[in-house]
Amino acid sequence: MAAPKYQAPRGTFDVLPESARVRGRIERTAAEIFSRAGYEPIATPNFEDTALFERGVGHSTDIVRKEMFTFEDKGGRSLTLRPEGTAPICRAYVEHGMQQLAQPVKLSYHGPFFRHERPQAGRYRQFHQLGIEAIGTESPLADAEVIELLAELLAELGVPGVELRLGSLGSLETRQAYLEELKAHLRAHEDELAKEVRERIEINPLRAFDSDDAGTQAVMATAPKLVERLEGDDAEHFAEVRALLDAAGVEYTIDPTLVRGLDYYTRTIFSFVCDRLGAQSEIGGGGRYDGLVEQLGGRPTPAVGWAAGIERIMLALDEEVAADGRDVFIAVAEDDQAKRRLAMVLVGELRKAGLSAELDLAGRALKGQLKQADRIGARRVLILDDEGAQLRDMASGEQRQVDTGKLVDEITGGEA
Ligand code: AMP
């Protein structure tokens, strides 16, 4: 019987070297921007207690209701592959007493996340996010700073066609009062709504703004908007965030229908969309979550942050990053033990000196080795033959005899 052929699970993908190079550029650019702004890396486990997400992300959200990969471990505990990064980071903030540190605590992260969604372009079941959080500050400066950093990241990466949409949900109280008003509006137009929306008037009325259904959209066009209900401190906070973004030269449009699929947001919410992405047009987004840390057992702690999808950035960039090439490829003219051993020693010396070097691992004839050197973009080939060692410059074709005892100096001109 033929052995079965295995494939990566539905909605997941293998990161092959070509794509890993693009990811590498994105992650390095982000790491530099985060570090210059003082956002320190944090890493939390890939799975957590299921209750953390139920409580943190919210029972009524699609993520918790439909999309979590939840399983029981051998001890009977319910665990969930993390669908998002903010609840785990707030858990870590509380667990490690980070409220004792100077506030805000500014953190950055990147890694895999898991949602059982219907796979399509830009939407996967295992995907990767990078993001930042500023925990322990209510200042609109923090909102503006995190937004500016995402704008800067997308600009520095060269992501085309990006637009920032900005909204505010107000405080929990404003939002609650508004939600009652919105539910009343939806109930008054129940017959015109899509079934999905009708069934969720009580649990998640805000999602009605996201509906594709024409009837629902008509009802939502006349619905009260939360940004028009902001009062007092909430209105002032939102105005200040806008003024700061204006001062920083970050362009945005106010979107009164903006909602996010997680329950924890308060006040500022934002979304960066890209016109190259089709249906899954959001490249990154986030907002303020002033109630979450307390919800997870900490002291009341205002916070703000965002996450961006690495695959969405890659789709928008649609680029290739060339491989680095190699400084030296070591070839042996005849396959004898002494030359193989010398090649092994020399390749080690070159690498220790900080040069990139490879040798033939496939037992190729000399011609095949030279071809391989060309394939990997080697700038020089060192050929070990009966005369000693010849160093060939691949661009010019020039070749000269070298002393293998001083190989590093021969190559770097003594500068290594
Ligand atoms: P969220 O955590 O839902 O606010 O999503 C933040 C970002 O993660 C989005 O803007 C997307 O770029 C990315 N993202 C979310 N879900 C997926 C998914 N299933 N596949 C790929 N990227 C995703």
Side-chain angles (χ1 to χ4, degrees):
M1 201 173 72
K5 286 208 174 81
Y6 297 106
Q7 291 184 331
R10 192 165 136 75
T12 71
F13 51 84
D14 299 305
V15 177
L16 302 179
E18 299 80 48
S19 136
R21 289 199 293 271
V22 182
R23 284 165 191 274
R25 182 173 91 82
I26 296 169
E27 286 171 13
R28 278 191 305 277
T29 306
E32 271 167 35
I33 290 175
F34 298 162
S35 147
R36 288 201 297 259
Y39 288 74
E40 296 262 20
I42 183 169
T44 60
N46 283 354
F47 54 83
E48 297 269 357
D49 283 336
T50 301
L52 173 71
F53 300 114
E54 288 172 346
R55 207 172 161 74
V57 178
H59 286 281
S60 70
T61 60
D62 280 351
I63 291 181
V64 170
R65 282 158 44 99
K66 303 187 207 157
E67 296 171 2
M68 297 207 298
F69 283 94
T70 296
F71 59 98
E72 210 171 81
D73 75 0
K74 291 192 165 42
R77 284 169 290 257
S78 179
L79 299 175
T80 291
L81 295 181
R82 58 181 188 177
E84 61 92 56
T86 303
I89 288 177
C90 289
R91 193 261 311 132
Y93 176 91
V94 175
E95 181 173 337
H96 300 286
M98 290 189 223
Q99 63 269 31
Q100 315 297 340
L101 305 174
Q103 304 293 301
V105 176
K106 299 197 294 182
L107 300 168
S108 65
Y109 65 93
H110 69 97
F113 293 86
F114 309 85
R115 293 182 196 173
H116 196 280
E117 299 198 84
R118 196 167 54 78
Q120 53 184 281
R123 196 198 262 176
Y124 313 99
R125 291 182 174 172
Q126 173 171 342
F127 56 99
H128 298 79
Q129 287 184 339
L130 44 86
I132 56 174
E133 316 284 357
I135 308 178
T137 174
E138 209 179 2
S139 170
L141 273 169
D143 306 52
E145 172 169 288
V146 297
I147 292 172
E148 202 272 333
L149 288 171
L150 181 47
E152 187 188 333
L153 172 63
L154 298 176
E156 196 159 321
L157 287 170
V159 179
V162 174
E163 188 191 309
L164 165 60
R165 299 194 182 142
L166 187 67
S168 178
L169 299 173
S171 64
L172 287 174
E173 299 80 60
T174 314
R175 193 165 155 197
Q176 232 104 58
Y178 166 75
L179 287 179
E180 290 312 315
E181 195 187 345
L182 179 62
K183 282 183 207 169
H185 177 80
L186 292 173
R187 274 190 229 107
H189 296 272
E190 234 174 299
D191 301 346
E192 299 147 63
L193 298 173
K195 184 166 167 279
E196 248 252 331
V197 175
R198 201 160 54 230
E199 283 170 0
R200 294 178 61 190
I201 294 179
E202 294 309 317
I203 40 177
N204 201 350
L206 278 176
R207 286 312 280 217
F209 282 113
D210 274 353
S211 173
D212 303 329
D213 170 69
T216 306
Q217 284 175 353
V219 174
M220 298 324 282
T222 59
K225 307 285 182 325
L226 183 45
V227 277
E228 294 154 10
R229 297 290 182 275
L230 297 182
E231 286 176 352
D233 290 350
D234 290 341
E236 234 169 74
H237 192 275
F238 191 41
E240 185 58 16
V241 171
R242 289 183 334 243
L244 289 165
L245 290 175
D246 291 340
V250 178
E251 283 178 24
Y252 57 86
T253 54
I254 302 289
D255 184 349
T257 67
L258 199 59
V259 293
R260 298 198 62 74
L262 300 89
D263 270 358
Y264 50 59
Y265 288 112
T266 51
R267 293 192 165 174
T268 314
I269 49 169
F270 54 92
S271 173
F272 284 79
V273 292
C274 172
D275 63 16
R276 314 291 150 103
L277 285 182
Q280 305 303 315
S281 65
E282 190 188 272
I283 213 157
R288 186 162 269 291
Y289 49 94
D290 291 345
L292 181 59
V293 171
E294 190 179 9
Q295 180 87 358
L296 298 177
R299 289 205 298 254
T301 307
V304 59
W306 53 257
I310 295 183
E311 290 79 19
R312 301 258 175 104
I313 295 176
M314 291 173 69
L315 281 171
L317 284 173
D318 190 22
E319 71 172 13
E320 282 175 28
V321 172
D324 268 348
R326 234 61 86 226
D327 294 318
V328 188
F329 184 90
I330 302 184
V332 288
E334 297 95 28
D335 188 24
D336 74 54
Q337 212 176 41
K339 290 198 187 73
R340 275 204 307 270
R341 289 184 184 169
L342 178 59
M344 180 73 199
V345 171
L346 294 175
V347 86
E349 280 175 12
L350 291 172
R351 290 172 187 165
K352 277 190 208 106
L355 295 162
S356 57
E358 283 192 58
L359 42 67
D360 177 48
L361 299 175
R364 294 181 178 91
L366 181 60
K367 207 171 147 204
Q369 294 178 60
L370 295 177
K371 221 181 198 172
Q372 176 64 7
D374 196 44
R375 230 180 259 133
I376 63 168
R379 286 174 280 282
R380 304 172 194 83
V381 181
L382 182 77
I383 304 166
L384 304 179
D385 58 19
D386 288 336
E387 319 287 299
Q390 323 296 326
L391 186 64
R392 181 186 294 182
D393 182 295
M394 293 293 270
S396 67
E398 266 169 46
Q399 192 163 306
R400 64 189 163 98
Q401 180 109 18
V402 291
D403 177 355
T404 53
K406 298 185 194 138
L407 186 58
V408 173
D409 280 356
E410 295 266 17
I411 287 172
T412 61
E415 284 163 23

PDB file of all heavy atoms in Angstrom, residues 63 83-84 115 117 122-125 127 129 260 262 265 282-285 307-312, ligand 1:
ATOM      1  N   ILE A  63     -15.445  35.487  17.563  1.00  0.00           N
ATOM      2  CA  ILE A  63     -14.224  34.761  17.921  1.00  0.00           C
ATOM      3  C   ILE A  63     -14.541  33.688  18.963  1.00  0.00           C
ATOM      4  O   ILE A  63     -14.206  32.519  18.799  1.00  0.00           O
ATOM      5  CB  ILE A  63     -13.138  35.734  18.446  1.00  0.00           C
ATOM      6  CG1 ILE A  63     -12.644  36.610  17.300  1.00  0.00           C
ATOM      7  CG2 ILE A  63     -11.973  34.977  19.072  1.00  0.00           C
ATOM      8  CD1 ILE A  63     -11.548  37.586  17.678  1.00  0.00           C
ATOM      9  N   PRO A  83      -6.534  33.159  19.969  1.00  0.00           N
ATOM     10  CA  PRO A  83      -7.076  33.795  18.770  1.00  0.00           C
ATOM     11  C   PRO A  83      -6.615  35.234  18.636  1.00  0.00           C
ATOM     12  O   PRO A  83      -6.778  35.850  17.580  1.00  0.00           O
ATOM     13  CB  PRO A  83      -8.589  33.745  18.995  1.00  0.00           C
ATOM     14  CG  PRO A  83      -8.743  33.764  20.487  1.00  0.00           C
ATOM     15  CD  PRO A  83      -7.525  33.091  21.062  1.00  0.00           C
ATOM     16  N   GLU A  84      -6.040  35.799  19.706  1.00  0.00           N
ATOM     17  CA  GLU A  84      -5.598  37.204  19.660  1.00  0.00           C
ATOM     18  C   GLU A  84      -4.594  37.410  20.794  1.00  0.00           C
ATOM     19  O   GLU A  84      -4.442  36.533  21.651  1.00  0.00           O
ATOM     20  CB  GLU A  84      -6.796  38.160  19.767  1.00  0.00           C
ATOM     21  CG  GLU A  84      -7.605  38.038  21.049  1.00  0.00           C
ATOM     22  CD  GLU A  84      -7.111  38.971  22.108  1.00  0.00           C
ATOM     23  OE1 GLU A  84      -7.055  40.182  21.844  1.00  0.00           O
ATOM     24  OE2 GLU A  84      -6.765  38.501  23.211  1.00  0.00           O
ATOM     25  N   ARG A 115      -7.645  31.050  14.387  1.00  0.00           N
ATOM     26  CA  ARG A 115      -9.097  31.236  14.382  1.00  0.00           C
ATOM     27  C   ARG A 115      -9.703  30.277  13.375  1.00  0.00           C
ATOM     28  O   ARG A 115      -9.216  30.176  12.247  1.00  0.00           O
ATOM     29  CB  ARG A 115      -9.466  32.677  13.996  1.00  0.00           C
ATOM     30  CG  ARG A 115      -9.046  33.684  15.043  1.00  0.00           C
ATOM     31  CD  ARG A 115      -9.465  35.101  14.676  1.00  0.00           C
ATOM     32  NE  ARG A 115      -8.725  36.041  15.507  1.00  0.00           N
ATOM     33  CZ  ARG A 115      -8.750  37.355  15.349  1.00  0.00           C
ATOM     34  NH1 ARG A 115      -9.483  37.894  14.394  1.00  0.00           N
ATOM     35  NH2 ARG A 115      -8.040  38.131  16.151  1.00  0.00           N
ATOM     36  N   GLU A 117     -11.794  30.130  10.965  1.00  0.00           N
ATOM     37  CA  GLU A 117     -12.580  30.931  10.038  1.00  0.00           C
ATOM     38  C   GLU A 117     -12.638  30.199   8.704  1.00  0.00           C
ATOM     39  O   GLU A 117     -11.887  29.265   8.461  1.00  0.00           O
ATOM     40  CB  GLU A 117     -11.905  32.290   9.832  1.00  0.00           C
ATOM     41  CG  GLU A 117     -11.796  33.085  11.117  1.00  0.00           C
ATOM     42  CD  GLU A 117     -11.552  34.558  10.854  1.00  0.00           C
ATOM     43  OE1 GLU A 117     -12.533  35.271  10.627  1.00  0.00           O
ATOM     44  OE2 GLU A 117     -10.393  34.982  10.871  1.00  0.00           O
ATOM     45  N   GLY A 122      -6.124  35.977   2.353  1.00  0.00           N
ATOM     46  CA  GLY A 122      -5.995  36.923   3.461  1.00  0.00           C
ATOM     47  C   GLY A 122      -6.683  36.477   4.734  1.00  0.00           C
ATOM     48  O   GLY A 122      -6.686  37.209   5.721  1.00  0.00           O
ATOM     49  N   ARG A 123      -7.282  35.282   4.704  1.00  0.00           N
ATOM     50  CA  ARG A 123      -7.914  34.801   5.935  1.00  0.00           C
ATOM     51  C   ARG A 123      -7.560  33.331   6.136  1.00  0.00           C
ATOM     52  O   ARG A 123      -7.877  32.488   5.297  1.00  0.00           O
ATOM     53  CB  ARG A 123      -9.422  34.957   5.838  1.00  0.00           C
ATOM     54  CG  ARG A 123     -10.071  34.856   7.199  1.00  0.00           C
ATOM     55  CD  ARG A 123     -11.517  34.590   7.055  1.00  0.00           C
ATOM     56  NE  ARG A 123     -12.328  35.787   7.176  1.00  0.00           N
ATOM     57  CZ  ARG A 123     -13.648  35.753   6.996  1.00  0.00           C
ATOM     58  NH1 ARG A 123     -14.260  34.643   6.688  1.00  0.00           N
ATOM     59  NH2 ARG A 123     -14.334  36.856   7.140  1.00  0.00           N
ATOM     60  N   TYR A 124      -6.882  33.064   7.226  1.00  0.00           N
ATOM     61  CA  TYR A 124      -6.350  31.732   7.451  1.00  0.00           C
ATOM     62  C   TYR A 124      -6.729  31.271   8.854  1.00  0.00           C
ATOM     63  O   TYR A 124      -7.210  32.048   9.672  1.00  0.00           O
ATOM     64  CB  TYR A 124      -4.818  31.734   7.299  1.00  0.00           C
ATOM     65  CG  TYR A 124      -4.388  32.459   6.059  1.00  0.00           C
ATOM     66  CD1 TYR A 124      -3.934  33.788   6.125  1.00  0.00           C
ATOM     67  CD2 TYR A 124      -4.484  31.859   4.803  1.00  0.00           C
ATOM     68  CE1 TYR A 124      -3.585  34.480   4.980  1.00  0.00           C
ATOM     69  CE2 TYR A 124      -4.132  32.546   3.653  1.00  0.00           C
ATOM     70  CZ  TYR A 124      -3.686  33.852   3.746  1.00  0.00           C
ATOM     71  OH  TYR A 124      -3.357  34.537   2.614  1.00  0.00           O
ATOM     72  N   ARG A 125      -6.483  29.987   9.101  1.00  0.00           N
ATOM     73  CA  ARG A 125      -6.792  29.460  10.444  1.00  0.00           C
ATOM     74  C   ARG A 125      -5.595  29.568  11.366  1.00  0.00           C
ATOM     75  O   ARG A 125      -5.756  29.627  12.577  1.00  0.00           O
ATOM     76  CB  ARG A 125      -7.299  28.027  10.314  1.00  0.00           C
ATOM     77  CG  ARG A 125      -8.661  28.042   9.654  1.00  0.00           C
ATOM     78  CD  ARG A 125      -9.264  26.684   9.514  1.00  0.00           C
ATOM     79  NE  ARG A 125     -10.623  26.836   9.000  1.00  0.00           N
ATOM     80  CZ  ARG A 125     -11.391  25.837   8.616  1.00  0.00           C
ATOM     81  NH1 ARG A 125     -10.943  24.603   8.691  1.00  0.00           N
ATOM     82  NH2 ARG A 125     -12.601  26.071   8.170  1.00  0.00           N
ATOM     83  N   PHE A 127      -2.545  32.298  11.431  1.00  0.00           N
ATOM     84  CA  PHE A 127      -1.986  33.473  10.777  1.00  0.00           C
ATOM     85  C   PHE A 127      -1.036  34.140  11.763  1.00  0.00           C
ATOM     86  O   PHE A 127      -0.853  33.649  12.875  1.00  0.00           O
ATOM     87  CB  PHE A 127      -3.105  34.427  10.331  1.00  0.00           C
ATOM     88  CG  PHE A 127      -4.016  34.864  11.443  1.00  0.00           C
ATOM     89  CD1 PHE A 127      -3.849  36.096  12.061  1.00  0.00           C
ATOM     90  CD2 PHE A 127      -5.028  34.026  11.896  1.00  0.00           C
ATOM     91  CE1 PHE A 127      -4.676  36.488  13.101  1.00  0.00           C
ATOM     92  CE2 PHE A 127      -5.865  34.419  12.946  1.00  0.00           C
ATOM     93  CZ  PHE A 127      -5.684  35.650  13.550  1.00  0.00           C
ATOM     94  N   GLN A 129       0.424  37.746  13.595  1.00  0.00           N
ATOM     95  CA  GLN A 129       0.206  39.168  13.866  1.00  0.00           C
ATOM     96  C   GLN A 129       1.448  39.744  14.500  1.00  0.00           C
ATOM     97  O   GLN A 129       2.194  39.054  15.194  1.00  0.00           O
ATOM     98  CB  GLN A 129      -0.935  39.360  14.878  1.00  0.00           C
ATOM     99  CG  GLN A 129      -2.319  39.105  14.326  1.00  0.00           C
ATOM    100  CD  GLN A 129      -3.409  39.408  15.348  1.00  0.00           C
ATOM    101  OE1 GLN A 129      -3.151  39.439  16.555  1.00  0.00           O
ATOM    102  NE2 GLN A 129      -4.616  39.620  14.870  1.00  0.00           N
ATOM    103  N   ARG A 260     -15.436  46.819  16.042  1.00  0.00           N
ATOM    104  CA  ARG A 260     -14.417  45.785  15.999  1.00  0.00           C
ATOM    105  C   ARG A 260     -14.980  44.514  16.604  1.00  0.00           C
ATOM    106  O   ARG A 260     -15.881  44.563  17.418  1.00  0.00           O
ATOM    107  CB  ARG A 260     -13.149  46.239  16.728  1.00  0.00           C
ATOM    108  CG  ARG A 260     -12.526  47.463  16.062  1.00  0.00           C
ATOM    109  CD  ARG A 260     -11.104  47.682  16.467  1.00  0.00           C
ATOM    110  NE  ARG A 260     -10.229  46.582  16.087  1.00  0.00           N
ATOM    111  CZ  ARG A 260      -9.835  46.358  14.832  1.00  0.00           C
ATOM    112  NH1 ARG A 260     -10.224  47.135  13.861  1.00  0.00           N
ATOM    113  NH2 ARG A 260      -9.043  45.349  14.563  1.00  0.00           N
ATOM    114  N   LEU A 262     -14.183  42.523  18.799  1.00  0.00           N
ATOM    115  CA  LEU A 262     -13.824  42.126  20.158  1.00  0.00           C
ATOM    116  C   LEU A 262     -14.547  43.066  21.111  1.00  0.00           C
ATOM    117  O   LEU A 262     -14.682  44.254  20.846  1.00  0.00           O
ATOM    118  CB  LEU A 262     -12.305  42.209  20.371  1.00  0.00           C
ATOM    119  CG  LEU A 262     -11.466  41.319  19.439  1.00  0.00           C
ATOM    120  CD1 LEU A 262     -11.094  42.028  18.159  1.00  0.00           C
ATOM    121  CD2 LEU A 262     -10.219  40.838  20.141  1.00  0.00           C
ATOM    122  N   TYR A 265     -13.105  46.815  23.583  1.00  0.00           N
ATOM    123  CA  TYR A 265     -12.729  48.184  23.223  1.00  0.00           C
ATOM    124  C   TYR A 265     -13.600  49.258  23.898  1.00  0.00           C
ATOM    125  O   TYR A 265     -14.795  49.080  24.099  1.00  0.00           O
ATOM    126  CB  TYR A 265     -12.761  48.369  21.708  1.00  0.00           C
ATOM    127  CG  TYR A 265     -11.620  47.648  21.037  1.00  0.00           C
ATOM    128  CD1 TYR A 265     -11.847  46.555  20.220  1.00  0.00           C
ATOM    129  CD2 TYR A 265     -10.306  48.047  21.253  1.00  0.00           C
ATOM    130  CE1 TYR A 265     -10.793  45.875  19.627  1.00  0.00           C
ATOM    131  CE2 TYR A 265      -9.253  47.378  20.658  1.00  0.00           C
ATOM    132  CZ  TYR A 265      -9.500  46.292  19.847  1.00  0.00           C
ATOM    133  OH  TYR A 265      -8.444  45.627  19.268  1.00  0.00           O
ATOM    134  N   GLU A 282      -8.794  44.770   5.805  1.00  0.00           N
ATOM    135  CA  GLU A 282      -8.117  45.350   6.969  1.00  0.00           C
ATOM    136  C   GLU A 282      -6.720  44.767   7.132  1.00  0.00           C
ATOM    137  O   GLU A 282      -6.515  43.566   7.231  1.00  0.00           O
ATOM    138  CB  GLU A 282      -8.895  45.124   8.257  1.00  0.00           C
ATOM    139  CG  GLU A 282      -8.264  45.951   9.356  1.00  0.00           C
ATOM    140  CD  GLU A 282      -8.818  45.676  10.732  1.00  0.00           C
ATOM    141  OE1 GLU A 282      -9.813  46.319  11.089  1.00  0.00           O
ATOM    142  OE2 GLU A 282      -8.243  44.815  11.431  1.00  0.00           O
ATOM    143  N   ILE A 283      -5.768  45.683   7.225  1.00  0.00           N
ATOM    144  CA  ILE A 283      -4.382  45.250   7.355  1.00  0.00           C
ATOM    145  C   ILE A 283      -3.971  45.233   8.831  1.00  0.00           C
ATOM    146  O   ILE A 283      -3.166  44.427   9.268  1.00  0.00           O
ATOM    147  CB  ILE A 283      -3.494  46.178   6.497  1.00  0.00           C
ATOM    148  CG1 ILE A 283      -2.322  45.444   5.916  1.00  0.00           C
ATOM    149  CG2 ILE A 283      -3.039  47.386   7.244  1.00  0.00           C
ATOM    150  CD1 ILE A 283      -1.782  46.125   4.688  1.00  0.00           C
ATOM    151  N   GLY A 284      -4.588  46.116   9.609  1.00  0.00           N
ATOM    152  CA  GLY A 284      -4.300  46.152  11.042  1.00  0.00           C
ATOM    153  C   GLY A 284      -5.261  47.090  11.722  1.00  0.00           C
ATOM    154  O   GLY A 284      -5.823  47.979  11.091  1.00  0.00           O
ATOM    155  N   GLY A 285      -5.430  46.869  13.014  1.00  0.00           N
ATOM    156  CA  GLY A 285      -6.336  47.763  13.724  1.00  0.00           C
ATOM    157  C   GLY A 285      -6.294  47.495  15.215  1.00  0.00           C
ATOM    158  O   GLY A 285      -5.666  46.539  15.674  1.00  0.00           O
ATOM    159  N   ALA A 307      -3.038  45.362  16.536  1.00  0.00           N
ATOM    160  CA  ALA A 307      -2.382  44.216  15.901  1.00  0.00           C
ATOM    161  C   ALA A 307      -2.523  44.360  14.398  1.00  0.00           C
ATOM    162  O   ALA A 307      -3.541  44.859  13.909  1.00  0.00           O
ATOM    163  CB  ALA A 307      -3.034  42.916  16.355  1.00  0.00           C
ATOM    164  N   ALA A 308      -1.497  43.925  13.685  1.00  0.00           N
ATOM    165  CA  ALA A 308      -1.560  43.931  12.220  1.00  0.00           C
ATOM    166  C   ALA A 308      -1.259  42.520  11.726  1.00  0.00           C
ATOM    167  O   ALA A 308      -0.486  41.787  12.350  1.00  0.00           O
ATOM    168  CB  ALA A 308      -0.551  44.922  11.646  1.00  0.00           C
ATOM    169  N   GLY A 309      -1.888  42.148  10.626  1.00  0.00           N
ATOM    170  CA  GLY A 309      -1.705  40.804  10.088  1.00  0.00           C
ATOM    171  C   GLY A 309      -0.512  40.762   9.144  1.00  0.00           C
ATOM    172  O   GLY A 309      -0.462  41.486   8.149  1.00  0.00           O
ATOM    173  N   ILE A 310       0.459  39.905   9.456  1.00  0.00           N
ATOM    174  CA  ILE A 310       1.673  39.837   8.629  1.00  0.00           C
ATOM    175  C   ILE A 310       1.332  39.346   7.214  1.00  0.00           C
ATOM    176  O   ILE A 310       1.828  39.890   6.221  1.00  0.00           O
ATOM    177  CB  ILE A 310       2.739  38.936   9.297  1.00  0.00           C
ATOM    178  CG1 ILE A 310       3.181  39.592  10.618  1.00  0.00           C
ATOM    179  CG2 ILE A 310       3.938  38.710   8.364  1.00  0.00           C
ATOM    180  CD1 ILE A 310       4.276  38.860  11.357  1.00  0.00           C
ATOM    181  N   GLU A 311       0.434  38.353   7.094  1.00  0.00           N
ATOM    182  CA  GLU A 311       0.080  37.855   5.749  1.00  0.00           C
ATOM    183  C   GLU A 311      -0.635  38.938   4.944  1.00  0.00           C
ATOM    184  O   GLU A 311      -0.445  39.038   3.736  1.00  0.00           O
ATOM    185  CB  GLU A 311      -0.794  36.604   5.837  1.00  0.00           C
ATOM    186  CG  GLU A 311      -0.044  35.370   6.343  1.00  0.00           C
ATOM    187  CD  GLU A 311       0.148  35.360   7.847  1.00  0.00           C
ATOM    188  OE1 GLU A 311      -0.590  36.097   8.539  1.00  0.00           O
ATOM    189  OE2 GLU A 311       1.043  34.642   8.334  1.00  0.00           O
ATOM    190  N   ARG A 312      -1.459  39.741   5.618  1.00  0.00           N
ATOM    191  CA  ARG A 312      -2.154  40.823   4.894  1.00  0.00           C
ATOM    192  C   ARG A 312      -1.132  41.852   4.392  1.00  0.00           C
ATOM    193  O   ARG A 312      -1.244  42.356   3.278  1.00  0.00           O
ATOM    194  CB  ARG A 312      -3.170  41.517   5.807  1.00  0.00           C
ATOM    195  CG  ARG A 312      -4.232  40.582   6.348  1.00  0.00           C
ATOM    196  CD  ARG A 312      -5.553  40.699   5.638  1.00  0.00           C
ATOM    197  NE  ARG A 312      -6.461  39.690   6.141  1.00  0.00           N
ATOM    198  CZ  ARG A 312      -7.463  39.919   6.981  1.00  0.00           C
ATOM    199  NH1 ARG A 312      -7.725  41.154   7.379  1.00  0.00           N
ATOM    200  NH2 ARG A 312      -8.227  38.926   7.408  1.00  0.00           N
TER     201      ARG A 312
HETATM  202  P1  AMP B   1      -8.086  41.520  15.076  1.00  0.00           P
HETATM  203  O1  AMP B   1      -7.266  40.796  16.116  1.00  0.00           O
HETATM  204  O2  AMP B   1      -9.335  40.774  14.687  1.00  0.00           O
HETATM  205  O3  AMP B   1      -8.328  42.956  15.427  1.00  0.00           O
HETATM  206  O4  AMP B   1      -7.214  41.519  13.744  1.00  0.00           O
HETATM  207  C1  AMP B   1      -6.053  42.271  13.595  1.00  0.00           C
HETATM  208  C2  AMP B   1      -5.427  41.976  12.259  1.00  0.00           C
HETATM  209  O5  AMP B   1      -5.062  40.617  12.171  1.00  0.00           O
HETATM  210  C3  AMP B   1      -6.363  42.181  11.087  1.00  0.00           C
HETATM  211  O6  AMP B   1      -6.347  43.510  10.675  1.00  0.00           O
HETATM  212  C4  AMP B   1      -5.773  41.268  10.041  1.00  0.00           C
HETATM  213  O7  AMP B   1      -4.699  41.921   9.385  1.00  0.00           O
HETATM  214  C5  AMP B   1      -5.220  40.130  10.857  1.00  0.00           C
HETATM  215  N1  AMP B   1      -6.132  38.963  10.861  1.00  0.00           N
HETATM  216  C6  AMP B   1      -7.189  38.746  11.665  1.00  0.00           C
HETATM  217  N2  AMP B   1      -7.755  37.552  11.418  1.00  0.00           N
HETATM  218  C7  AMP B   1      -7.032  36.976  10.424  1.00  0.00           C
HETATM  219  C8  AMP B   1      -7.083  35.725   9.721  1.00  0.00           C
HETATM  220  N3  AMP B   1      -8.005  34.804   9.997  1.00  0.00           N
HETATM  221  N4  AMP B   1      -6.169  35.496   8.753  1.00  0.00           N
HETATM  222  C9  AMP B   1      -5.219  36.420   8.465  1.00  0.00           C
HETATM  223  N5  AMP B   1      -5.100  37.596   9.106  1.00  0.00           N
HETATM  224  C10 AMP B   1      -5.990  37.882  10.067  1.00  0.00           C
END
